[in-house]
Amino acid sequence: MEFIKPGINIDFIGKRKIALCFSLTLIFLTVILLIWRQGPNYGVDFTGGVLIQVKLAEKESPADIRKALEPIQLQDSIIQEFGERGHAEYLIRVRKTDIELSGLDEKVKKALEDHFGKEADIRRVEMVGPKVGKDLRQKALFAIFYSILFIAIYISGRFEHQWLMSIIMAISLAIVVYVASGFGVSVTWLILLALLVTLGLCWFLRLKYALGAIIALIHDVTITVGAFAITDREISLSIIAAFLTIVGYSLNDTIVVFDRIRENLGRYRRRSFEEIMNSSINETLSRTILTSSTTLVVVIALFILGGGVIHDFAFALLVGIVIGTYSSIFVASPILLVWQGRFSESSKIKKGLVRTGR
């Protein structure tokens, strides 16, 4: 099935500078926002606290529920609608970790019934300790980091047949992480350091496809985190699962474009690299539009009709799919062009020096 007529030639690569400005602006805004907010807005899963699920007789606003909780000093809680619309079921997230869990359900039930004058049903009360929350946050960050690392290794071997270089990169990175851990570096800085080392190794070992794919993945996850920060949404365990799904989706799109570029490089040896990249993106455009649009329909349906439980998860996928499709065309591919220009010029200079006998 083709939406785009064969032979079409849209100049995507020619728009790379506009795309670069757009991406840098979004990333800059994300970084500024995260600094201003002192990091991402982690949920109870990661910060520790108490989760209370309650069913009321009628639908109430979060502001009214907070007011009802004032007598028991829980007015700072985060209230989220839960389950199907109209069922008046809510999640109350309490960020305090020093709260007494025993008898808490009765206190909340009494406070709600006294304020609304109708029966309230406490469905569950769960507590996550601060240590457990910290462990979960570290494991989640490591999950994202290792997924990106193994993707780099796979792409280097799959596209460039440089499995040996991939293994060298993995061993080098393991040594850096081990040494940095020995100095007591925090997990966030450890992952940032490891990502910088990974990008540096990709550049040094000339793993151009891996470099393009990793920069695109970091770009996608960063902008999605920025979308969560600007909409004041929490990052929970389910959102980390959404980030990993975005990484997989974005990579799939990037691999399709890279695969066509590699095929066309062997087929059209007399064409310029920029021309080959443009025709490769145009040839895969039908597939990209078809895949993205069908996936978006499902995710939009989940976002609108899925209810409060998966609302944020669907939002992360919605942003990730749009940004992932954009990055496979306007971020990952232009990295190859920058690479080609950089090393073509250096090889021409070397050849010129050899010819002049220097």
Side-chain angles (χ1 to χ4, degrees):
M1 187 174 181
E2 285 188 336
F3 287 105
I4 308 295
K5 291 179 181 176
I8 191 165
N9 187 25
I10 302 171
D11 185 16
F12 291 106
I13 298 299
K15 309 287 186 301
R16 64 184 182 280
K17 289 181 182 173
I18 299 171
L20 179 67
C21 291
F22 177 68
S23 293
L24 287 177
T25 304
L26 290 181
I27 290 171
F28 177 74
L29 288 174
T30 299
V31 172
I32 294 295
L33 202 58
L34 290 178
I35 292 172
W36 181 59
R37 299 182 58 138
Q38 300 180 337
N41 184 18
Y42 289 116
V44 173
D45 296 347
F46 297 131
T47 58
V50 181
L51 191 68
I52 305 165
Q53 183 183 337
V54 59
K55 180 170 173 49
L56 302 177
E58 293 177 359
K59 186 174 179 178
E60 305 290 349
S61 70
D64 280 343
I65 296 174
R66 279 194 204 95
K67 198 172 178 182
L69 297 174
E70 273 183 10
I72 53 173
Q73 285 80 48
L74 295 182
Q75 66 273 17
D76 295 333
S77 305
I78 297 166
I79 313 293
Q80 182 184 8
E81 195 170 353
F82 182 82
E84 295 180 17
R85 286 181 184 275
H87 282 210
E89 214 162 325
Y90 300 89
L91 280 180
I92 301 170
R93 298 173 191 269
V94 185
R95 289 183 180 274
K96 297 175 185 173
T97 54
D98 56 349
I99 196 167
E100 181 60 47
L101 198 61
S102 174
L104 181 64
D105 53 343
E106 287 301 322
K107 288 180 187 173
V108 172
K109 180 180 170 68
K110 187 172 183 311
L112 292 171
E113 288 178 346
D114 287 350
H115 183 82
F116 295 117
K118 291 178 182 173
E119 191 178 349
D121 183 19
I122 305 296
R123 297 293 177 92
R124 62 173 165 139
V125 179
E126 293 176 2
M127 183 168 192
V128 179
K131 189 174 183 312
V132 174
K134 188 180 176 186
D135 286 347
L136 286 173
R137 190 167 68 239
Q138 289 185 348
K139 285 176 182 172
L141 288 171
F142 273 124
I144 293 177
F145 164 66
Y146 282 118
S147 64
I148 291 177
L149 172 65
F150 285 117
I151 283 166
I153 294 169
Y154 166 74
I155 290 180
S156 306
R158 165 78 172 75
F159 283 93
E160 302 173 85
H161 305 293
Q162 296 195 49
W163 289 105
L164 180 61
M165 293 297 179
S166 304
I167 293 167
I168 290 172
M169 184 172 72
I171 293 172
S172 307
L173 199 58
I175 293 170
V176 170
V177 170
Y178 178 76
V179 171
S181 302
F183 284 100
V185 178
S186 71
V187 68
T188 307
W189 286 109
L190 194 65
I191 288 168
L192 284 174
L193 173 69
L195 283 174
L196 288 174
V197 171
T198 305
L199 292 174
L201 285 170
C202 284
W203 182 267
F204 181 72
L205 298 172
R206 300 195 173 194
L207 303 172
K208 57 180 180 292
Y209 287 99
L211 184 71
I214 290 176
I215 290 176
L217 295 180
I218 294 171
H219 167 275
D220 298 347
V221 173
T222 304
I223 291 175
T224 310
V225 170
F228 266 68
I230 206 164
T231 54
D232 200 25
R233 292 171 191 269
E234 287 186 353
I235 294 180
S236 61
L237 276 175
S238 62
I239 302 307
I240 296 297
F243 287 166
L244 292 174
T245 309
I246 291 166
V247 166
Y249 182 88
S250 174
L251 179 70
N252 185 43
D253 238 20
T254 305
I255 281 179
V256 170
V257 177
F258 279 2
D259 219 14
R260 188 57 63 94
I261 290 172
R262 196 184 55 162
E263 282 174 17
N264 286 341
L265 276 173
R267 196 179 297 164
Y268 308 113
R269 293 180 185 277
R270 293 188 178 181
R271 286 190 186 177
S272 68
F273 191 63
E274 188 172 340
E275 225 179 319
I276 289 175
M277 289 183 70
N278 247 331
S279 60
S280 302
I281 294 170
N282 278 287
E283 285 169 18
T284 54
L285 199 58
S286 286
R287 180 256 172 214
T288 303
I289 292 174
L290 187 63
T291 309
S292 302
S293 56
T294 49
T295 314
L296 270 178
V297 168
V298 176
V299 176
I300 288 170
L302 285 176
F303 181 71
I304 296 171
L305 306 170
V309 182
I310 57 171
H311 194 263
D312 287 354
F313 180 82
F315 176 78
L317 290 182
L318 199 60
V319 176
I321 287 169
V322 173
I323 294 295
T325 306
Y326 158 82
S327 72
S328 64
I329 296 173
F330 289 106
V331 177
S333 303
I335 296 289
L336 297 182
L337 190 63
V338 172
W339 180 286
Q340 190 74 8
R342 167 79 175 78
F343 286 98
S344 295
E345 280 177 17
S346 58
S347 67
K348 281 177 187 173
I349 290 169
K350 281 181 186 173
K351 283 179 185 174
L353 288 173
V354 170
R355 281 187 195 132
T356 53
R358 293 182 190 177

